[in-house]
């Protein structure tokens, strides 16, 4: 049937509207002059060493993530000196409603896995992708599940340490190599470069952040470092020190301290130190003063042994552990630690003494992941240790602090850069952050006072050195460090451990609003919060060296506290 003329203008208008709608849809999925998600692999094919393996749109979800373009790719595929295949694998997410910001998500642990590029941190209620950031995440240049490494058992995620370039990628080079890739993908997709660039991570991701602040300061407007293991090889030496300390009590380290005995320690810390911030509320708000007031020896049993006291050997073992590793000359090899109210937390026990993971034979993380890292990655030459729980514990038990600890600084023909040179910021011992300050960049650091992995004391002394070098005002202009009372590693513990360091960093960078305090609340998902705490409790986190002081008013509200000089 032939259409009558009156219908033709209507069809033309309908077709035009549909075409406009298609254009609008393309614009919403890319930018004013950008390339659609499905076309990105071809559009960036000229970038050297880059291979996009997957590109597609992801629907919005119930977690607040918008519709976004998700890309998977590899960079710098190569054969390693150890005969294995390597590449930097990554994921990038480019959201609709882009806020013109980029975030490099630095991941924790041994890396080796491409974690979803949400831009999330355990302390934040809202991740970066949900806020409109474009986010990239990577495995830092090695595959923890490489089938060729299965022979290494629980140490299979550490075997990459046999290759120098893989060490470099893990240390700093992968972050460096991904920068132009991320910038090109953003500009190609949206038709413009990001107005602001950020990097954020916790644990090893916090180390990546601290390293970037010194190695790549010209690139980032804001850097967020949580629980930064910036002296990572030194912290791994602590793992051996801990194992040998616990074995003073019991050769089976899982039995060295019961949960009830650690709770007795935590309770005594709180009893001695709680009032130092002018309010008895179950929180130690003045950590440094607490170390002068709390005496571990007071917990030594005066009579029969009970769960409420410690044996003389247990007291000696804890004092040794918290004193930090030393060689026979008494020279410190890492850092000492602070006693805090979170020592009884489940995370502290999982890292230090006993896990609930059957394949690990319930050994702690320091005796599995930590031992493999020290053996393969953080010493030169590497030690090919068997990957069974027993063998890994034995490696740490036999570690010699005069013979083996210097290997974190060692080089040889195969490894011309030492583990310390690869893993740490070049100016870690004498921080200046000159280049970051010159460009107006900002570094925000947070660290749990009960972190069992990286000593908060190490981070606070780094802040002390920076403030000494620059003066307090100039140092506060480029970097601020916030200790989180009772918080464990990256999150958790009997703490107000939900806060928004990314929002504080953005306001500092883009609005000039320096974070004089950050409000922290109780995370509804935190099961370690004492039952007698109000679910509405909030507290201020104060920039070092300031500490919180109760000023009067509602005892559950952060507004009732001030940040004051210690």
């Amino acid at each position: 049937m032939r259409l009558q003329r009156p219908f033709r203008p209507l069809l033309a208008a309908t077709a035009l509207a549909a075409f406009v709608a298609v254009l609008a849809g393309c614009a919403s999925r890319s930018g004013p002059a950008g390339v659609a998600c499905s076309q990105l692999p071809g559009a960036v094919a000229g970038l050297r060493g880059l291979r996009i393996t997957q590109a597609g749109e992801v629907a919005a979800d119930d977690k607040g993530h918008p519709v976004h373009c998700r890309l998977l790719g590899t960079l710098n595929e190569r054969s390693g000196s150890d005969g294995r295949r390597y590449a930097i694998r990554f994921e990038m997410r480019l959201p609709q409603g882009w806020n013109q910001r980029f975030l490099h998500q630095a991941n924790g642990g041994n890396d080796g896995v491409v974690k979803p590029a949400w831009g999330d941190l355990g302390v934040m209620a809202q991740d970066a992708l949900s806020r409109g950031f474009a986010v990239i995440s990577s495995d830092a240049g090695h595959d923890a599940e490489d089938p060729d490494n299965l022979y290494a058992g629980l140490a299979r995620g550490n075997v990459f340490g046999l290759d120098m370039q893989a060490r470099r990628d893990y240390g700093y080079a992968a972050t460096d190599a991904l920068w132009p890739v991320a910038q090109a993908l953003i500009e190609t997709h949206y038709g413009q470069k990001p107005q602001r660039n950020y990097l954020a991570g916790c644990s090893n991701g916090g180390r990546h952040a601290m390293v970037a602040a010194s190695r790549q300061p010209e690139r980032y407007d804001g850097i967020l470092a949580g629980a930064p293991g910036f002296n990572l090889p030194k912290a791994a030496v602590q793992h051996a020190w801990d194992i040998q300390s616990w074995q003073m009590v019991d050769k089976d380290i899982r039995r060295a301290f019961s949960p009830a005995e650690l709770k007795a320690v935590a309770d005594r810390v709180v009893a001695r130190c709680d009032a130092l911030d002018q309010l008895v509320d179950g929180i130690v708000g003045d950590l440094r003063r607490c170390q002068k007031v709390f005496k571990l020896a007071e917990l030594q049993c005066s009579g029969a042994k009970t769960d409420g006291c410690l044996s003389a050997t247990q007291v000696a073992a804890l004092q040794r552990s918290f004193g930090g590793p030393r060689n026979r000359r008494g020279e410190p090899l890492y850092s000492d630690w602070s006693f805090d109210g979170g020592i009884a937390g489940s995370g502290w026990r999982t890292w230090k003494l006993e896990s609930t993971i059957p394949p690990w034979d319930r050994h702690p993380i320091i005796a599995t992941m930590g031992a493999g890292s020290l053996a393969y990655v953080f010493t030169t030459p590497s030690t090919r240790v068997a990957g069974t729980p027993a063998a890994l514990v034995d490696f740490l038990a036999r570690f010699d602090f005069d013979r083996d600890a210097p290997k974190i600084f060692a080089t040889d023909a195969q490894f011309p850069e030492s583990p310390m040179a690869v893993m740490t910021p070049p100016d870690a011992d004498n921080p200046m952050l000159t280049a970051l300050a010159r460009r107006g960049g900002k570094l925000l650091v947070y660290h749990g006072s009960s972190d069992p992995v990286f000593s908060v004391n190490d981070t606070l002394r780094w802040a002390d050195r920076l403030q000494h070098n620059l003066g307090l005002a100039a140092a506060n202009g480029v970097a601020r460090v916030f200790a989180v009372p009772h918080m464990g590693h990256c999150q958790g513990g009997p703490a107000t451990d939900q806060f928004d360091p990314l929002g504080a960093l953005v306001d500092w960078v883009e609005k000039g609003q320096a974070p004089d305090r950050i409000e922290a609340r109780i995370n509804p998902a935190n099961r370690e919060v004492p039952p007698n705490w109000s679910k509405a409790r909030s507290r201020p986190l104060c920039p070092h060296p300031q500490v919180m002081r109760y000023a009067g008013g509602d005892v559950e509200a952060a507004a009732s506290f001030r940040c004051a000089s210690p």
Side-chain angles (χ1 to χ4, degrees), residues 8 26 29 56 108 112 170 179 226 239 246 250 321 324 348 373 416 468:
R8 290 178 181 174
C26 290
R29 287 163 171 76
Y170 178 57
W179 167 265
H239 300 335
W246 309 150
D250 196 308
S321 169
W348 198 96
S373 294
H468 176 267

Side-chain angles (χ1 to χ4, degrees), residues 250-396:
D250 196 308
K251 286 299 181 182
D252 184 346
I253 62 171
R254 298 165 295 185
R255 299 190 308 222
F257 295 88
S258 70
E261 288 166 339
L262 290 180
K263 185 177 185 305
V265 177
D267 289 346
R268 183 62 63 93
V269 171
V270 172
R272 289 284 184 263
C273 304
D274 192 352
L276 296 176
D277 57 16
Q278 311 302 317
L279 179 67
V280 176
D281 60 352
I283 295 177
V284 176
D286 194 333
L287 188 66
R288 284 190 168 176
R289 283 183 66 194
C290 179
Q291 306 316 298
K292 299 175 182 178
V293 174
F294 172 73
K295 306 298 180 185
L296 182 64
E298 294 177 357
L299 275 166
Q300 185 169 321
C301 300
S302 58
K305 176 71 179 73
T306 69
D307 283 342
C309 65
L310 303 178
S311 70
T313 304
Q314 286 177 315
V315 169
L318 273 179
Q319 287 178 329
R320 184 179 188 272
S321 169
F322 275 65
R326 292 178 179 270
N327 58 25
R328 289 176 185 168
R329 294 184 296 276
E331 298 166 334
L333 304 177
Y334 174 46
S335 172
D336 61 355
W337 302 69
S338 285
F339 284 96
D340 187 50
I343 189 174
S346 62
W348 198 96
R349 185 173 192 86
T350 297
W351 275 96
K352 290 281 198 182
L353 286 164
E354 179 185 29
S355 74
T356 59
I357 302 174
W360 296 1
D361 197 17
R362 299 188 298 105
H363 281 293
I365 298 174
I366 64 169
T368 51
M369 183 171 67
S373 294
L374 184 58
Y376 279 99
V377 186
F378 300 145
T379 48
T380 298
S382 298
T383 301
R384 296 175 183 261
V385 61
T388 64
L392 292 166
V393 170
D394 186 62
F395 168 76
L396 294 177

